[in-house]
Amino acid sequence: MEFAELIKTPRVDGVVLHRPFMPTVEGTLCLTGHHLILSSRQDNTEELWLLHANIDSIEKRFVGSLGTIIVKCKDLRVIQLDIPGMEECLNIASSIEALSTLDSVSLMYPFFYRPLFEVIEDGWQLFVPEEAFKDLESMTDEWRLSEVNKDFSVCPSYPSLLTVPKDIDDESLCKAASFRHGGRFPVLSYYHKKNGMVMMRAAQPLTGTNGRRCKEDEKLINATLCAGKRGYIIDTRTIAVAQQAKARGGGFEQEANYAQWRRIHKAIERSNVLQEGLIKLVEACNDQSHSMDRWLSKLEASNWQSNVKEILTTACLAAQCIDREGASVLVHGTEGTDSTLQVTSLAQIILDPACRTIRGFEALIEREWLQAGHPFQQRCAQSAYSNGKPRSEAPVFLLFLDCVWQILRQFPCSFQFNENFLIMLFEHAYASQFGTFLGNSVAERLKLLLSQKTVSLWSWVNRPQELERFLNPLYEPNNLVIWPSVAPQSLLLWEGVFLRWNRSTKCLDEAYQEMVHIIEYNKELQNKVNSLRRQLAQLETEDGPLQTP
Amino acid sequence: MEHIRMPKVENVWLVDRSSSRRTQVGTLYLTATHTIFVGKGSEDRNELWVLHSLVCNVVKHKASQSGYPLLIHCKNFQVIQFIFPQESDCHDVYISLSRLSRPEKYEELYCFSFNPNVGKAEREHSWDFLDLKAEYSRMGLPNKLWHVTPINREYRVCDTYPADLFVPKSVTLPVIVGSSKFRSRGRFPTLSYYCKENHATICRSSQPLSGFSARCLEDEQMLQAIMKSNPGSRFMYVVDTRPKLNAMANRAAGKGYENEDNYCNIKFQFIGIENIHVMRNSQQKLIEVSALRSPSMGEFLTGLENSDWLRHIKSIMEAGLFISKAVAEEGVSVLVHCSDGWDRTAQVCSVASVLLDPYYRTLKGLMVLFEKDWVSFGHRFSHRCGHLIGEAKEVSPVIDQFLECIWQLMEQFPCAFEYNEKFLISIHNHIYSCHYGNFICNSQKERKDLCIKEKTHSIWPHLWENKLDFMNPLFKPDQSQNQGLLRPSTAPYCFKYWRRLYNRFDRELHPRQSELDSLMTVKEETQQLEEELALYEQKMAVLDKEHAKTLYMQKGVLDSKQALWSLPLDTSLANTPQDYISGFIGGAPNVFTLQQGERESAEVCLYGDKTKSSDADNSDQESGVADFSSHSSGEESLPSEESVKDPDSDETGPNRA
């Protein structure tokens, strides 16, 4: 096996593990191809199983012959291993470094993982575009499923099936694709049943400096408007950024050519800026100086909360245009794979109650993230502790989850899932035994044969025994559009992720348990009362014999 | 009444600061006690009531196109903006309100005219609701080491202290008198909290008049006696809550702090909580930040940081934690003082008490704590809350900070408190409202002289009656986190901005669904179910056919409430988007053109018209105008200040103006 040569020392005894808010554990450290394992070999202490893929970076320190490795994980946890023996320590460190930065996707753990549970419902088959289109067909006949991208040649980052206006033929789609960055021509993202308005997404148009236009592109998006109606184009970039994009061949829709559309520019940061923000935020959260000024100024300087606010605001605006203005919307940024998806998916959570269920949310992630071609593997290659120069890493998906959490906080009874579900998704996007978040597009996933060779996250999550942890006890289906507040006073730091390892959660966990208990007890009583009521009613209708024993 | 220049003004605009769409026109009334706005036009009678005593200041703004604006800032952080069509009306209301909101005499305060429909006996009884003697005996006092000294019965030794004070049995009257002469304002060391389990105590006093070298044998004996009254310990802590620099500066004025060389077995410690002036300025900045209209995240966070408010809260919490740990973990007694011993000392002693003793985390217990550490020990409520016109420099949010410390603790220990956030906010409101007599005056003696108990009502029974609204559904007295000492983390990120207090009246900033309300409803329903279940089980046991029949008739009562607890969702509010891009959707074409370039401004107007009409269509779904009742200062509708109140139930209706 090829991992053996990377593992210089597979086993060290007498290693001491320090974890925040947990007792230290002394035991044997083992390295396998995919895991770092520390076992005390005592029954009552928890073992540590850490995926190498979860390791963001490591630091080594030596005091005499005692070596210390500080392991910083992508889920933001920091642990410390004290390893006796300098050579062992160096070997372990270099092995971890090599194993946590494997280049080849097919060497990743999901290709080796065999589930210990029986897969009842294959997650790979759960959310196919055909099914989603059937739902759409039941509501409107204005759309068709196009196979123009069957072999991914029109747009490598799009799936093979795309929902487009019925009246636009594949040839026009190809022409529109050539006018959009990365071939990402406008496609349907969401159909608002209430008023028939739609949200589409695309990449920036390639107008360039001399104002190129494309009749087919214009026709394509105009086909989504009702007669006499106008639509909104939400460009997630500021007008200045969009102007600059012209010099590189990109640009934005010219008013003259898109007379039926109004363009609104917002200011969602580009992904490399977001990555810097994450690094700064986590640094602030881990700052041990205990000074209030430093905390607040670092929090502010990270711009994380500003990003949350801007993304949420843009999503709310898109939702407002659709629901309140009765207008259709086209959303794009530059590539249409990052901020665009944040906006379209959040807008759906606001507008569509179905997206607030577990299944619906999974379907949303499939549709608007995985199939829509968010480059998960590139974006999640490194997390907040990466010390190298960021290439294309960015916490785009984490920001989306943060925004969902903000809405969840403001509407705690409207979501079928709880915070743990969102945290779980964050973890698995960065490191997982499942194949769901591997690859950068549908095409790549097909090539990797993920659905044959790996297990889908959904196959595991949707098992009743797992799902239980993720259910929101307060959930009561709410069919309304939910408008969150985006004021700074209303937006909170997502402590469940960013302070997760920095504080004891005992009291908060207890509170959650108590909440679950209160509601379960209520349900139990209701059942008891109902059954007693029935019994009594029965007794009442029965005849005398009972009275004369 | 002579201060009311203008009892009634018609056609006044009440501006909703969060959304110009909700602005409404109506009539403004000035009464002896309230400013009342009655909206007109809509089917609901929208009223806004503001107690004059809650008004912090009144400001006239520059005339605008729509008229003459008047801004009223309240002590409960409500900000109300009226626009008058006539300048003279605006000015008259301004002059009247400026006077009405700054009473010169106690007798002008609302509590002296507040006259709910209760008998004399009941009113007097309301003052017996809390009994500090009972509280001390709950702690285990008096005992063989501590007793009540009669020395201050007539308030002769210290006129800002209560009549009954606990001191070590071993100290003689001359020692107390001697010690009191060596302490600022005569506030000698006396007991605040006694820990039954290990005999450690928290004592409080003011600063010693030590200057650079003065000493006082009696004071030293006093401390020695306190230390010895805790047989298990060999020393005691003396905690000066001030920054060292401030304490040293005081020495020049003949005051200062204890010299460790003169006192046997004391460990002296500075804590570094800033003085009332720093706190006042800090809160002022915080209020400005909280009142910013659609600030950016950066503006908000920078403003929060620059206010220093959370840093101060943290320092108070740390001081409380230090003391409670000394008592609970080391079993060592602590003497706490600042300068006069009625601000920082009260804060720190009461925070420590909340951390130490689960009793103070119950409704009744918190009331007792207020009564003991704040009211009886002479926190200068009238000065600090600015009840009367007077020194602006005496005003300071000392009590706000204590309430906030409790709130911060609730965030960390959600199951440890019997009461919820609404209870704290209600208390806050009533500390400032002068609706009840409890928080009037600066000392027990002043209250006695003013016959507060004879002339006003007590707040506590009133809050107690409404306790269902104030209960924390997650409270678990038997849970581990509520056993013994609470050990909060004081890492900076554990201190949060208290939105529910500072943006209390900005409804759109709060979660649209409340976990708290949902859980409270579930618990209530559970209780009903329990009763029903007991009833049924009884019936089943008896198997009496006749009874079964009557029961059968009751069935279905709860069936209809199946999903009752999902109701707290304010559907109208949930369905109300706010301005996600200021002015864009609502019209205001100029905002849009800035973003859009000049070419499209014509289209924009078109759109503006369209959107306006669609707004009108949707207005029934917007929570809008029907909400005003919830903005009332809520005196009669207490405790649920957020609830809609019935205007007819008020004694002081607009017609009586």
Side-chain angles (χ1 to χ4, degrees):
Chain A
M1 180 165 179
E2 52 266 80
F3 297 117
E5 60 205 55
L6 297 177
I7 304 172
K8 292 176 185 153
T9 303
R11 232 189 92 155
V12 187
D13 289 320
V15 173
V16 180
L17 164 72
H18 305 268
R19 284 179 288 188
F21 299 102
M22 288 173 127
T24 55
V25 180
E26 189 179 334
T28 305
L29 179 77
C30 297
L31 289 186
T32 73
H34 294 104
H35 284 95
L36 181 157
I37 303 158
L38 190 118
S39 167
S40 67
R41 311 202 169 189
Q42 277 156 13
D43 299 334
N44 48 359
T45 43
E46 211 193 319
E47 291 184 334
L48 172 79
W49 281 71
L50 191 67
L51 263 181
H52 293 315
N54 190 3
I55 296 172
D56 210 16
S57 69
I58 60 167
E59 279 168 27
K60 308 179 279 262
R61 264 190 242 138
F62 292 95
V63 178
S65 68
L66 181 77
T68 291
I69 300 179
I70 297 179
V71 180
K72 299 181 172 182
C73 303
K74 289 177 188 164
D75 62 14
L76 309 183
R77 171 172 32 163
V78 178
I79 59 173
Q80 184 185 326
L81 297 164
D82 295 340
I83 298 169
M86 190 183 287
E87 199 191 329
E88 282 86 348
C89 183
L90 282 171
N91 284 347
I92 294 282
S94 68
S95 305
I96 294 176
E97 259 168 359
L99 290 165
S100 61
T101 52
L102 293 175
D103 273 336
S104 166
V105 184
S106 55
L107 290 178
M108 305 286 269
Y109 186 52
F111 287 94
F112 298 83
Y113 169 74
R114 291 292 159 261
L116 291 172
F117 58 89
E118 192 195 343
V119 176
I120 300 162
E121 196 181 26
D122 184 3
W124 291 113
Q125 308 305 325
L126 262 187
F127 310 101
V128 289
E130 289 92 336
E131 288 296 318
F133 185 72
K134 265 187 205 154
D135 288 345
L136 179 69
E137 258 184 328
S138 69
M139 299 183 277
T140 169
D141 58 358
E142 305 274 301
W143 299 82
R144 70 183 182 95
L145 214 47
S146 164
E147 293 187 0
V148 68
N149 199 36
K150 203 167 47 189
D151 53 1
F152 307 106
S153 59
V154 176
C155 172
S157 63
Y158 267 168
S160 54
L161 291 173
L162 290 154
T163 310
V164 296
K166 198 175 63 184
D167 300 334
I168 306 296
D169 56 25
D170 282 357
E171 201 181 320
S172 307
L173 293 179
C174 290
K175 285 195 176 137
S178 66
F179 181 63
R180 293 274 173 179
H181 191 118
R184 294 176 70 92
F185 57 88
V187 296
L188 181 78
S189 160
Y190 170 68
Y191 178 84
H192 196 43
K193 199 174 166 187
K194 189 168 133 194
N195 60 8
M197 293 302 126
V198 297
M199 178 161 59
M200 287 177 301
R201 52 178 158 73
Q204 64 177 347
L206 302 174
T207 54
T209 39
N210 43 18
R212 240 181 92 206
R213 66 185 287 191
C214 171
K215 285 269 165 56
E216 287 78 6
D217 187 76
E218 293 158 25
K219 207 177 128 204
L220 168 55
I221 70 165
N222 285 341
T224 65
L225 296 175
C226 311
K229 280 269 191 179
R230 319 178 56 135
Y232 292 91
I233 294 172
I234 296 178
D235 192 326
T236 62
R237 308 161 294 180
T238 60
I239 180 76
V241 174
Q243 288 281 10
Q244 285 161 16
K246 283 184 178 174
R248 290 187 300 273
F252 50 87
E253 293 82 356
Q254 300 294 323
E255 290 82 6
N257 305 337
Y258 296 84
Q260 283 169 279
W261 296 82
R262 277 181 74 198
R263 215 178 55 247
I264 307 166
H265 288 276
K266 298 296 288 180
I268 301 183
E269 291 285 2
R270 286 197 43 99
S271 47
N272 54 337
V273 182
L274 300 181
Q275 178 68 10
E276 273 170 41
L278 175 67
I279 292 170
K280 281 189 192 161
L281 173 67
V282 171
E283 210 179 276
C285 292
N286 291 343
D287 184 353
Q288 299 297 319
S289 77
H290 283 251
S291 138
M292 185 59 78
D293 301 352
R294 270 182 73 169
W295 159 244
L296 284 173
S297 58
K298 280 184 152 188
L299 176 65
E300 202 261 307
S302 79
N303 262 330
W304 185 267
Q305 294 298 94
S306 303
N307 292 328
V308 168
K309 178 172 155 60
E310 192 61 29
I311 294 164
L312 257 184
T313 308
T314 311
C316 288
L317 177 68
Q320 198 175 9
C321 290
I322 293 170
D323 186 68
R324 284 308 170 98
E325 299 302 299
S328 286
V329 171
L330 168 66
V331 183
H332 70 74
T334 305
E335 292 99 342
T337 54
D338 295 297
S339 60
T340 307
L341 305 182
Q342 289 171 331
V343 173
T344 56
S345 52
L346 285 167
Q348 291 180 53
I349 286 167
I350 293 164
L351 292 170
D352 185 1
C355 294
R356 299 172 219 143
T357 65
I358 289 201
R359 279 296 165 108
F361 192 69
E362 289 171 1
L364 181 77
I365 287 172
E366 274 287 339
R367 262 192 343 263
E368 292 299 304
W369 290 88
L370 291 161
Q371 291 167 16
H374 174 67
F376 274 100
Q377 202 173 307
Q378 288 176 8
R379 296 287 181 256
C380 302
Q382 296 259 260
S383 169
Y385 301 118
S386 64
N387 28 29
K389 239 192 176 161
R391 290 179 305 251
S392 41
E393 296 82 11
V396 177
F397 187 62
L398 176 57
L399 268 163
F400 158 72
L401 293 175
D402 194 331
C403 292
V404 177
W405 180 78
Q406 305 285 349
I407 308 177
L408 171 64
R409 289 305 306 153
Q410 296 188 27
F411 294 90
C413 308
S414 297
F415 288 81
Q416 193 187 14
F417 50 86
N418 59 19
E419 177 179 7
N420 294 335
F421 189 63
L422 300 173
I423 296 173
M424 179 275 295
L425 288 170
F426 158 60
E427 289 173 343
H428 283 275
Y430 279 85
S432 175
Q433 66 268 47
F434 304 108
T436 299
F437 292 109
L438 292 182
N440 293 305
S441 63
V442 173
E444 279 190 37
R445 272 176 220 116
L446 275 176
K447 211 187 264 168
L448 286 166
L449 300 174
L450 287 181
S451 64
Q452 289 101 299
K453 292 189 170 173
T454 74
V455 180
S456 159
L457 173 66
W458 314 130
S459 303
W460 170 73
V461 168
N462 289 337
R463 300 167 74 235
Q465 38 293 53
E466 298 301 332
L467 218 47
E468 209 175 327
R469 278 189 297 145
F470 303 127
L471 289 173
N472 175 8
L474 290 169
Y475 178 56
E476 273 292 323
N478 161 17
N479 281 321
L480 296 170
V481 176
I482 51 175
W483 301 107
S485 163
V486 296
Q489 293 98 320
S490 310
L491 300 177
L492 308 168
L493 176 72
W494 190 6
E495 299 179 10
V497 164
F498 298 111
L499 300 177
R500 183 176 174 193
W501 312 102
N502 299 351
R503 51 170 198 174
S504 160
T505 54
K506 193 169 137 262
C507 295
L508 302 177
D509 294 345
E510 278 176 1
Y512 184 78
Q513 286 312 319
E514 179 60 14
M515 183 169 87
V516 172
H517 167 76
I518 288 171
I519 290 162
E520 274 175 1
Y521 178 57
N522 178 278
K523 285 186 179 146
E524 188 187 305
L525 273 182
Q526 258 174 23
N527 291 339
K528 267 192 197 162
V529 165
N530 286 339
S531 88
L532 264 181
R533 198 184 279 152
R534 268 194 302 275
Q535 283 182 43
L536 278 166
Q538 233 164 34
L539 282 175
E540 195 215 16
T541 50
E542 274 167 27
D543 287 326
L546 275 172
Q547 280 184 324
T548 51
Chain B
M1 298 305 271
E2 71 273 19
H3 307 306
I4 301 172
R5 289 188 170 203
M6 195 75 178
K8 180 179 170 187
V9 188
E10 309 256 21
N11 294 320
V12 176
W13 288 89
L14 174 61
V15 180
D16 188 312
R17 296 195 314 139
S18 65
S19 161
S20 52
R21 285 176 287 183
R22 291 188 214 146
T23 292
Q24 62 163 335
V25 70
T27 308
L28 186 82
Y29 300 90
L30 286 184
T31 75
T33 54
H34 290 81
T35 304
I36 303 158
F37 175 84
V38 182
K40 73 173 178 198
S42 59
E43 53 281 10
D44 311 290
R45 227 172 124 212
N46 309 307
E47 294 191 8
L48 171 73
W49 289 58
V50 185
L51 257 180
H52 295 325
S53 40
L54 268 175
V55 172
C56 179
N57 65 51
V58 191
V59 192
K60 278 201 289 183
H61 274 210
K62 261 210 343 239
S64 69
Q65 279 181 330
S66 36
Y68 300 87
L70 188 70
L71 246 79
I72 301 174
H73 294 266
C74 299
K75 292 172 182 171
N76 60 4
F77 312 119
Q78 186 171 20
V79 183
I80 301 155
Q81 186 180 356
F82 292 118
I83 297 178
F84 294 86
Q86 304 287 332
E87 187 172 15
S88 58
D89 289 345
C90 180
H91 186 70
D92 283 345
V93 171
Y94 168 75
I95 295 290
S96 311
L97 260 183
S98 301
R99 174 61 188 85
L100 288 166
S101 62
R102 298 160 86 193
E104 287 163 357
K105 300 193 297 284
Y106 281 121
E107 286 76 9
E108 291 177 43
L109 293 174
Y110 184 47
C111 56
F112 290 97
S113 58
F114 173 57
N115 188 16
N117 201 10
V118 296
K120 184 166 175 269
E122 199 181 325
R123 205 212 45 235
E124 275 166 11
H125 188 65
S126 80
W127 285 105
D128 299 332
F129 180 74
L130 295 184
D131 177 8
L132 285 186
K133 220 175 240 164
E135 164 58 6
Y136 286 108
S137 76
R138 184 195 68 85
M139 288 185 205
L141 298 179
N143 64 8
K144 60 184 199 306
L145 293 165
W146 293 86
H147 71 159
V148 178
T149 170
I151 200 161
N152 204 37
R153 285 277 147 84
E154 309 293 325
Y155 306 107
R156 282 207 194 109
V157 177
C158 173
D159 60 358
T160 58
Y161 262 175
D164 292 335
L165 289 158
F166 277 88
V167 290
K169 246 185 191 166
S170 55
V171 295
T172 58
L173 293 183
V175 167
I176 299 175
V177 173
S179 168
S180 83
K181 287 192 172 137
F182 188 64
R183 295 273 168 180
S184 254
R185 319 236 178 201
R187 292 171 71 94
F188 58 89
T190 174
L191 180 133
S192 164
Y193 180 75
Y194 172 76
C195 180
K196 236 186 317 210
E197 285 74 31
N198 60 13
H199 311 293
T201 56
I202 302 175
C203 292
R204 56 186 287 174
S205 70
S206 60
Q207 64 185 334
L209 304 176
S210 49
F212 290 101
S213 58
R215 56 189 289 187
C216 166
L217 270 178
E218 289 92 341
D219 195 62
E220 289 158 26
Q221 283 167 4
M222 185 76 167
L223 264 65
Q224 180 78 353
I226 290 172
M227 200 269 288
K228 289 218 162 127
S229 299
N230 178 6
S233 75
R234 291 214 206 103
F235 70 97
M236 72 183 283
Y237 285 108
V238 174
V239 170
D240 189 328
T241 57
R242 299 169 293 183
K244 189 173 183 184
L245 215 64
N246 300 20
M248 285 172 65
N250 263 301
R251 290 205 299 193
K255 300 165 189 170
Y257 52 92
E258 290 81 355
N259 183 340
E260 266 179 304
D261 298 339
N262 298 342
Y263 293 83
C264 301
N265 305 315
I266 67 163
K267 281 194 184 169
F268 186 85
Q269 181 92 31
F270 284 113
I271 293 269
I273 302 173
E274 299 290 350
N275 65 28
I276 57 167
H277 311 295
V278 175
M279 298 307 190
R280 178 179 57 245
N281 293 336
S282 169
Q283 195 193 39
Q284 195 46 49
K285 286 185 194 160
L286 181 77
I287 292 170
E288 281 162 23
V289 172
S290 72
L292 286 174
R293 289 178 63 177
S294 32
S296 71
M297 187 58 80
E299 282 167 337
F300 176 72
L301 289 175
T302 310
L304 189 60
E305 185 196 344
N306 290 341
S307 78
D308 264 343
W309 182 255
L310 293 177
R311 184 166 69 81
H312 299 314
I313 298 293
K314 179 167 137 77
S315 67
I316 296 164
M317 188 76 90
E318 281 167 338
L321 187 58
F322 173 83
I323 291 161
S324 59
K325 275 184 170 167
V327 169
E329 289 175 354
E330 296 182 66
V332 172
S333 293
V334 186
L335 171 67
V336 185
H337 70 73
C338 46
S339 298
D340 292 317
W342 50 48
D343 295 315
R344 286 168 274 203
T345 301
Q347 285 176 330
V348 168
C349 289
S350 47
V351 167
S353 300
V354 170
L355 294 173
L356 278 168
D357 194 333
Y359 177 64
Y360 299 121
R361 296 170 224 149
T362 65
L363 262 109
K364 189 88 179 267
L366 184 65
M367 296 179 186
V368 166
L369 189 62
F370 264 100
E371 208 49 49
K372 176 170 74 74
D373 276 355
W374 295 85
V375 176
S376 86
F377 271 108
H379 174 65
R380 298 166 85 78
F381 281 101
S382 282
H383 283 167
R384 298 296 177 255
C385 306
H387 289 335
L388 300 181
I389 182 168
E391 276 293 317
K393 274 189 167 170
E394 287 289 323
V395 175
S396 188
V398 178
I399 194 94
D400 297 21
Q401 290 180 317
F402 169 56
L403 283 164
E404 180 158 340
C405 284
I406 301 181
W407 178 79
Q408 302 281 1
L409 287 171
M410 284 175 167
E411 288 285 294
Q412 288 196 40
F413 303 97
C415 301
F417 292 83
E418 187 190 26
Y419 41 86
N420 61 33
E421 184 179 33
K422 289 180 192 167
F423 188 52
L424 303 182
I425 293 174
S426 247
I427 293 177
H428 181 271
N429 197 71
H430 280 287
I431 284 170
Y432 289 92
S433 73
C434 301
H435 191 153
Y436 294 88
N438 305 64
F439 309 111
I440 309 299
C441 302
N442 294 315
S443 66
Q444 201 176 64
K445 180 174 183 294
E446 279 186 35
R447 276 186 291 274
K448 243 181 207 156
D449 294 345
L450 255 180
C451 304
I452 288 283
K453 287 193 181 181
E454 286 75 38
K455 291 179 177 165
T456 74
H457 297 260
S458 167
I459 177 76
W460 304 124
H462 180 76
L463 292 177
W464 186 252
E465 274 163 33
N466 296 291
K467 65 179 177 196
L468 272 184
D469 292 322
F470 299 134
M471 288 295 205
N472 170 15
L474 295 174
F475 178 52
K476 283 202 87 175
D478 50 342
Q479 203 155 15
S480 63
Q481 59 175 288
N482 205 25
Q483 297 297 308
L485 179 65
L486 288 187
R487 289 180 188 78
S489 161
T490 55
Y493 45 69
C494 291
F495 294 88
K496 300 176 202 160
Y497 171 72
W498 192 2
R499 181 186 58 214
R500 285 269 184 209
L501 181 68
Y502 289 103
N503 292 106
R504 184 177 156 199
F505 293 92
D506 303 317
R507 285 215 324 180
E508 70 289 345
L509 295 185
H510 303 293
R512 310 305 158 92
Q513 290 177 323
S514 155
E515 220 167 87
L516 176 75
D517 291 345
S518 301
L519 284 173
M520 273 162 82
T521 321
V522 174
K523 275 207 133 170
E524 219 170 286
E525 199 203 59
T526 300
Q527 207 182 346
Q528 286 175 22
L529 283 168
E530 273 172 345
E531 284 162 19
E532 202 180 348
L533 189 67
L535 189 70
Y536 284 176
E537 274 168 351
Q538 207 186 339
K539 304 286 172 191
M540 286 296 280
V542 178
L543 272 182
D544 184 324
K545 208 178 173 194
E546 282 307 302
H547 283 214
K549 237 175 213 166
T550 54
L551 242 175
Y552 192 57
M553 288 162 68
Q554 298 176 356
K555 118 192 173 85
V557 176
L558 274 156
D559 275 342
S560 58
K561 291 185 187 162
Q562 213 64 349
L564 181 85
W565 54 276
S566 64
L567 284 179
L569 167 69
D570 182 342
T571 48
S572 58
L573 200 62
N575 213 11
T576 308
Q578 63 184 94
D579 261 359
Y580 293 114
I581 173 167
S582 61
F584 162 60
I585 296 287
N590 53 332
V591 179
F592 186 65
T593 29
L594 277 176
Q595 315 208 350
Q596 190 58 11
E598 313 81 56
R599 287 191 64 250
E600 288 198 14
S601 55
E603 294 173 21
V604 170
C605 291
L606 251 166
Y607 266 73
D609 286 341
K610 193 201 122 262
T611 53
K612 253 178 211 152
S613 67
S614 85
D615 261 351
D617 294 340
N618 288 332
S619 61
D620 55 330
Q621 289 170 43
E622 315 262 341
S623 61
V625 286
D627 292 335
F628 279 113
S629 49
S630 71
H631 285 236
S632 77
S633 58
E635 43 290 340
E636 265 73 36
S637 65
L638 234 195
S640 46
E641 273 122 325
E642 316 296 328
S643 71
V644 179
K645 80 173 170 164
D646 175 10
D648 298 323
S649 73
D650 288 317
E651 304 75 26
T652 38
N655 300 333
R656 295 186 38 161

